[in-house]
Amino acid sequence: MSGDLGSAAGVAPHHDPTTRSALRSWVLTGIAGVGFLVAALVVSAYLGATFGVQTALLALVVAVIPLGIVLPTFVWLDRFESEPTRYLVGAFLWGALVAAIVAALFNTSAILVLQNTTDPTAALATTAVLVAPVVEEALKGALVLLVWLVLRREFDGVTDGMVYAGVCAAGFAFTENIQYLAQAYTEGGRDALTATFVVRCLFSPFAHPMFTVLTGVGVGVAATSRTWLPKVLAPLAGYVLAVLAHALWNLAAVTGGKGLVTVYLLVEVPVFLAFVGFVVWARRREGRLIGLFLRPYADTGWISPGEVAMLSSMARRREARMWARANAGPQGLKAMRAFQDTASELALLRRRMHHDAADRQALAQERELLGALSARRVEFAGMRVG
């Protein structure tokens, strides 16, 4: 493995962001916030002008319901090494605003162009099957790719790729659901709204996340690859699979009737079950990886073998938090959570170093995390190992 644990042990960690880096972070956050605000105003104005404010608000409230199913799933997947909340919020807003707006522009343009050569119904069907999947999966996948390229220290592999992809796709589906629900209520009243809600929000709330997760897996594979070929081919392969899965689903929706039911039962349900199984496997795999890459620190005395066993199991982590709360109160619980989060970050940093995917600050970050690990242990247990 890369890195020098001996040298890490002898350096007291200290990290103070420079004024320039802090200012740059505030500026970038401000720019992103203003951009999302403008996009939100654009979406709100469009929905209000097209369907009316009351209908748009009704559709928004109904569209929130599937988020209560989808988002907790990806938060659960992200429990071992939670991504910063601000980045997950940014991923959701990218999908709900940026991707939704740009996709609407492309899809509408495609429909208008195709209507010059065919009837409106055929133009809608062609756009849904051949244009929308290519455009929408590219826009959602771009967020995952952007996180990997710009925030390498926050992107640790397949699990992170799935989380960012799923949250971004949930945002996209949220905005899309508002439009479809509002349109259904406008055209057919409460019955049409209910039918659309059942089909889109209850029967297939994971449709968009399942598609985009394929791109996320590809980017995650690329992030932990040592050679350039997987770094190029894995995201591309994930994107192509996402487009094909999306196109198949849209084709079934366009066909309607028995075609939709057949695809749903014979394709979508098995794919969803496979997706659930893969999510569970990915979470367990991350626990095993955390245990594997923490062992060198146990060998050098930074943590104990018992702590490694605890940190690699979510059930044991919960037991440790209960113990910390019982023995040291709320502050002990807070320190134990910080200890667990720091250990996960340290293990995944070690993994990136092992795959030669860490940056030049990796050793300094490693020393910082080791120091933080010891400090948190003192807080919840009043003892130091090593």
Side-chain angles (χ1 to χ4, degrees):
M1 290 186 181
S2 304
D4 185 352
L5 294 180
S7 63
V11 179
H14 182 74
H15 176 69
D16 291 315
T18 64
T19 303
R20 179 176 296 179
S21 64
L23 178 61
R24 182 168 58 246
S25 176
W26 277 104
V27 170
L28 293 176
T29 300
I31 293 173
V34 171
F36 286 137
L37 177 60
V38 171
L41 292 175
V42 170
V43 172
S44 300
Y46 165 76
L47 293 172
T50 304
F51 304 109
V53 175
Q54 290 185 336
T55 299
L57 288 176
L58 173 63
L60 184 148
V61 171
V62 176
V64 168
I65 295 174
L67 291 181
I69 303 172
V70 176
L71 290 179
T73 300
F74 290 100
V75 171
W76 176 84
L77 174 61
D78 195 37
R79 286 290 298 279
F80 271 109
E81 198 271 318
S82 300
E83 297 305 302
T85 301
R86 64 186 183 278
Y87 295 151
L88 294 180
V89 170
F92 181 86
L93 293 177
W94 176 283
L97 300 173
V98 178
I101 291 174
V102 177
L105 292 174
F106 271 96
N107 292 341
T108 301
S109 299
I111 292 172
L112 293 175
V113 171
L114 290 170
Q115 282 179 346
N116 293 327
T117 59
T118 185
D119 62 273
T121 302
L124 285 171
T126 303
T127 300
V129 177
L130 299 181
V131 178
V134 174
V135 172
E136 293 173 9
E137 295 309 321
L139 291 167
K140 291 180 290 178
L143 181 279
V144 187
L145 194 63
L146 189 65
V147 172
W148 173 43
L149 295 176
V150 177
L151 304 172
R152 290 180 181 270
R153 292 176 66 175
E154 297 295 342
F155 198 95
D156 298 302
V158 170
T159 300
D160 285 358
M162 294 173 65
V163 169
Y164 281 108
V167 171
C168 177
F172 185 92
F174 172 65
T175 301
E176 191 175 69
N177 283 340
I178 294 175
Q179 180 175 355
Y180 278 103
L181 291 165
Q183 182 176 351
Y185 185 76
T186 300
E187 296 177 355
R190 184 176 301 175
D191 291 341
L193 175 67
T194 301
T196 302
F197 169 75
V198 170
V199 172
R200 294 188 61 87
C201 300
L202 295 185
F203 282 1
S204 57
F206 284 94
H208 272 288
M210 284 194 302
F211 305 148
T212 313
V213 156
L214 295 169
T215 303
V217 170
V219 176
V221 171
T224 55
S225 298
R226 294 188 178 187
T227 58
W228 67 268
L229 191 60
K231 290 181 181 294
V232 174
L233 294 184
L236 182 60
Y239 168 69
V240 170
L241 290 174
V243 170
L244 292 176
H246 195 158
L248 178 62
W249 175 251
N250 283 3
L251 177 62
V254 168
T255 303
K258 293 183 179 179
L260 178 59
V261 174
T262 300
V263 171
Y264 182 81
L265 293 178
L266 298 184
V267 178
E268 294 301 325
V269 171
V271 167
F272 172 71
L273 294 176
F275 167 76
V276 172
F278 186 73
V279 167
V280 173
W281 172 84
R283 192 181 195 235
R284 291 178 178 174
R285 173 179 175 270
E286 187 165 31
R288 291 194 298 269
L289 288 173
I290 286 172
L292 174 65
F293 287 99
L294 284 178
R295 285 172 194 162
Y297 299 106
D299 294 339
T300 53
W302 278 103
I303 56 179
S304 69
E307 287 173 332
V308 173
M310 177 270 289
L311 291 164
S312 59
S313 166
M314 192 55 67
R316 293 186 180 182
R317 285 185 177 219
R318 286 192 293 269
E319 293 174 359
R321 291 196 295 270
M322 293 173 61
W323 172 87
R325 184 179 181 87
N327 286 273
Q331 290 301 316
L333 173 61
K334 181 179 179 181
M336 176 59 78
R337 283 177 172 163
F339 177 83
Q340 293 175 346
D341 291 342
T342 301
S344 295
E345 189 175 352
L346 177 64
L348 296 175
L349 171 65
R350 192 73 188 170
R351 183 182 177 221
R352 292 199 303 272
M353 295 165 69
H354 176 74
H355 290 289
D356 297 326
D359 56 24
R360 294 181 179 178
Q361 286 83 34
L363 286 178
Q365 186 183 6
E366 181 185 45
R367 291 192 292 267
E368 181 183 343
L369 291 171
L370 286 168
L373 205 64
S374 297
R376 300 294 83 75
R377 184 188 293 107
V378 169
E379 292 176 9
F380 71 72
M383 58 182 289
R384 185 185 297 271
V385 177

